[in-house]
Amino acid sequence: EKGGHDFFMSKEIEEQPAALADTLRGHLVDGRIVLDEQRLSDQELRDIDKVFVVACGTAYHAGLLAKYAIEHWCRIPVEVEVASEFRYRDPVLDRSTLVVAISQSGETADTLEAVRHAREQKARVLAICNTNGAQIPRESDAVLYTHAGPEVGVAATKTFTSQVVACYLVGLALAQNRGTKYADEVEREYHQLVASADAVKKVLASAVEPTRALARELADSKAVLFLGRHVGYPVALEGALKLKELAYMHAEGFAAGELKHGPIALIEQDLPVVVVMPSPRGRATLHAKLLSNIREIQARGARTIVIAERGDETVRPFASTLIEVPVVPTLIQPLVATVPLQVFSAEVARARGYDVDKPRNLAKSVTVE
Ligand code: M6R
């Protein structure tokens, strides 16, 4: 049932192109984005003037990416918060607030309690969930299901990338509803999302083996740092979470701009530092800033592992190891950049002799607060 793989996680990593395609399928009908369930009127949706995204762990990282898409397409302020913190600070919520709850299982206690709190305050709740009929979608006003299929490995992989595209679909649905995007633009963005499945297929074909080799080489490292900016920042956080969870290795993700505000003191000879580069095309300023961050790290003797767009020759002199990913639009970049990091953590865990599918102390579904 592992389809020739040693671990479910490896199989689930490979299943990502299909999971993305299945999650997107059927959501563009007559040029309009449709959700799976909507117990809210279009007018109620139009009245939304503030969005909160609540989720835990990997789902929270998908939520961070939702913020870029929704703010960009809809011009509504979006706040993203870990679900376990949300209700304790008495957030300002009312009928015109949309709370987007992201949960693979749909049973995570922290996220469920955040949903309940939001509804008590009259906010509208939209769930993104991978499990049909789970508690969180049952208690929500609208639902969009990810169709990643069952995920057996405790580490979230295909459900993460599916959540990201589901978040983007929600952004497009809101944009069309508010009129901040024309129908043809919504359609174009949708087709770009559909094309992401092919891009992920390409990374799987080109980056898996070199990343595995790198992971085996670095399996005895004491720690690994991950840096990114803009949409590369949640990727850095996700790369670090995967490594902690599976390889029990100290790992931290930073916004690259924060480096000089403290973390640079951690950089020492041979420390592996993974850097998620933005595209040198549309994001030239960001790209230049990250290049200078890499230079600083390299100058201090760290081992730089750079994930960059294919054809970006400017990074080559600063990369001890270069992992090339396909050229894609900005919002799709997190999908292609995350895949090598999933492979990396699984392979480090395997090399250290750990159970990749069942890391210690963790459960697939966390039903206590
Ligand atoms: O079922 P959920 O999406 O609500 O679970 C949330 C987190 O517990 C989950 O994403 C966790 O962080 C993953 N095991 C990380 O790989």
Side-chain angles (χ1 to χ4, degrees), residues 55-60 102-108 111 136 154-157 159 163 238 241-242 245 362-366:
C56 304
T58 289
Y60 167 74
I102 310 173
S103 174
Q104 181 282 129
S105 60
E107 305 289 347
T108 298
T111 313
I136 291 171
V154 163
T157 52
T159 58
Q163 283 164 348
E238 176 61 6
L241 177 61
K242 283 280 144 333
E245 180 182 26
L362 287 165
K364 183 66 185 163
S365 179
V366 185

Side-chain angles (χ1 to χ4, degrees), residues 2-31:
K2 291 181 194 148
H5 294 275
D6 292 357
F7 299 103
F8 280 106
M9 184 180 171
S10 329
K11 174 171 170 266
E12 289 160 0
I13 290 172
E14 299 274 335
E15 284 170 349
Q16 289 182 104
L20 294 173
D22 291 347
T23 296
L24 291 162
R25 187 170 303 118
H27 285 291
L28 183 74
V29 178
D30 297 331

Side-chain angles (χ1 to χ4, degrees), residues 50-51 65-80 171 174 180:
K50 172 99 202 244
V51 177
L65 292 166
K67 178 178 167 80
Y68 294 98
I70 299 175
E71 289 188 340
H72 178 60
W73 288 329
C74 312
R75 309 310 296 155
I76 319 177
V78 181
E79 278 187 48
V80 192
L174 290 174
T180 51

Side-chain angles (χ1 to χ4, degrees), residues 219-249:
D220 292 327
S221 305
K222 290 272 169 301
V224 179
L225 302 185
F226 295 77
L227 302 178
R229 280 179 188 254
H230 191 248
V231 294
Y233 172 46
V235 175
L237 296 178
E238 176 61 6
L241 177 61
K242 283 280 144 333
L243 198 60
K244 285 179 229 189
E245 180 182 26
L246 297 172
Y248 321 148
M249 194 186 275

